[in-house]
Amino acid sequence: MNIDALLQQASILQGQGQLAAAESLCRQVLQQQPKNAEALHLLGTLACTVGQLPAAIALIRKAIQQRPRHAPYYFNLSVPLAAVEAFDDAITVLQKCIELAPGDVEAHFNLGSLHLRQQHLSAARVALEQVLTLAPGHLHAMINLGLCLRAQGQLDKAISLFQKVLKIKPDHLLATFNLGLCHIDQRHYSLARDCCLKVLRLDPENQEVRLNLALCDSEEGAFGHALETYQEMIKSTPERANIYNNMANVLSRMGRLSEARASYQKALQLQPEKQQWFSNLLFLESYNVLCEPEEMLAAHRQWEKR
């Protein structure tokens, strides 16, 4: 069997999930042609599939050395780079892929998604808008662009995108969830509640949406119901620090100040780095007689150190 036939068969075997057989054929090729770019690339993608990420990166880089203007190699190199959290390198190789193949929709999408993950919001927006120029019906790009716009405070535009997704796919869980978050941001709690309840119908075990529902209850003055939700969640997830912080907010508004203080302290015990929660605790202690002046002074000195 000649080299091209071996590589074609290896690719077929990879698609069928016969990874060991595909690897064996690639190595046969490399015994004959140690610098064969396609064999190196295919072997690299096989290594990525089985979680051998450093090997995958090294092999695909060798393939690129042999074929430096072949865009798919750069795309596939970005996958293990992102998996090992080498995000800047992954962004660089995706940019190279797009330079070589400007119409590659998934390269633009992955680039935008990586920028979004890194909170490079302007760059993420540019890349994701380009995806929708090339592929207007790309639902994942709509979602990620909506997330980007929400992070930039452009809530009406984000809402429009999430609603567009839901017109195409009415039961899209992520679009519904994030539409609810936008409504919370705008203090439209009735609309947010509708989204939250829809998410629960689609995903009854979703804990994040239960937090959002409790927040809606709290903001609408249904403190008792919100408190019941938080207490129920603590039974099943007692190490979720944000539940204690949210519950403390509700207890404080109910006038149950000692309980609120204890709940803030529990939240900070679980996640001491949360500055806003520590600020919440200090605010509570400063405006209510919950501790001795010496304790309050010590707490504020701790805040100064932070």
Side-chain angles (χ1 to χ4, degrees), residues 245 248-249 264 275-285 303:
N245 176 73
N249 292 337
Y264 281 134
Q275 305 291 16
Q276 183 57 52
W277 300 354
F278 194 72
S279 178
N280 292 345
L281 175 61
L282 286 182
F283 183 87
L284 184 72
E285 291 179 341
W303 171 255

Side-chain angles (χ1 to χ4, degrees), residues 32-267:
Q32 299 178 54
Q33 295 182 1
K35 293 184 178 182
N36 185 287
E38 191 55 32
L40 289 165
H41 169 254
L42 189 53
L43 204 54
T45 61
L46 289 166
C48 185
T49 300
V50 298
Q52 297 175 3
L53 302 176
I57 291 167
L59 285 161
I60 300 174
R61 285 198 187 280
K62 287 181 180 178
I64 288 172
Q65 289 174 359
Q66 302 307 313
R67 293 185 68 184
R69 300 196 58 77
H70 192 55
Y73 291 1
Y74 292 93
F75 182 91
N76 288 333
L77 176 58
S78 74
V79 176
L81 285 171
V84 298
E85 300 187 358
F87 298 123
D88 290 343
D89 287 345
I91 286 169
T92 298
V93 297
L94 280 170
Q95 289 170 333
K96 182 64 176 179
C97 175
I98 289 166
E99 177 190 323
L100 295 169
D104 190 324
V105 171
E106 291 310 306
H108 285 286
F109 174 72
N110 286 5
L111 178 62
S113 300
L114 282 174
H115 277 309
L116 181 61
R117 183 169 180 172
Q118 293 292 89
Q119 291 296 298
H120 305 157
L121 299 180
S122 297
R125 183 173 177 177
V126 170
L128 293 166
E129 286 176 342
Q130 182 62 23
V131 174
L132 294 176
T133 298
L134 295 167
H138 198 299
L139 295 186
H140 293 301
M142 291 182 205
I143 293 289
N144 282 4
L145 182 55
L147 295 174
C148 181
L149 290 166
R150 178 178 175 240
Q152 290 181 316
Q154 300 194 39
L155 297 175
D156 288 339
K157 290 182 178 180
I159 286 170
S160 178
L161 274 169
F162 295 135
Q163 289 174 334
K164 186 176 180 180
V165 172
L166 291 169
K167 284 181 182 178
I168 298 169
K169 190 174 181 180
D171 287 341
H172 197 292
L173 185 67
L174 198 54
T176 306
F177 180 85
N178 285 291
L179 179 59
L181 289 179
C182 288
H183 286 318
I184 288 173
D185 292 342
Q186 292 187 326
R187 300 183 181 276
H188 297 160
Y189 296 113
S190 178
L191 293 173
R193 182 187 303 279
D194 290 343
C195 291
C196 291
L197 291 173
K198 181 179 176 182
V199 171
L200 279 179
R201 288 195 296 272
L202 297 169
D203 181 13
E205 301 304 316
N206 191 307
Q207 295 299 301
E208 295 303 318
V209 81
R210 292 185 186 278
L211 280 173
N212 293 344
L213 267 175
L215 178 61
C216 291
D217 285 333
S218 174
E219 293 299 325
E220 292 183 323
F223 300 131
H225 196 265
L227 185 60
E228 287 177 9
T229 300
Y230 292 136
Q231 289 170 333
E232 189 64 31
M233 291 182 72
I234 284 171
K235 290 178 184 177
S236 58
T237 52
E239 301 305 311
R240 282 287 302 274
N242 58 336
I243 300 175
Y244 292 96
N245 176 73
N246 291 7
M247 185 166 70
N249 292 337
V250 171
L251 288 165
S252 177
R253 294 175 73 177
M254 295 174 76
R256 294 164 61 171
L257 305 181
S258 295
E259 293 172 83
R261 183 189 186 204
S263 194
Y264 281 134
Q265 289 171 333
K266 178 64 176 178

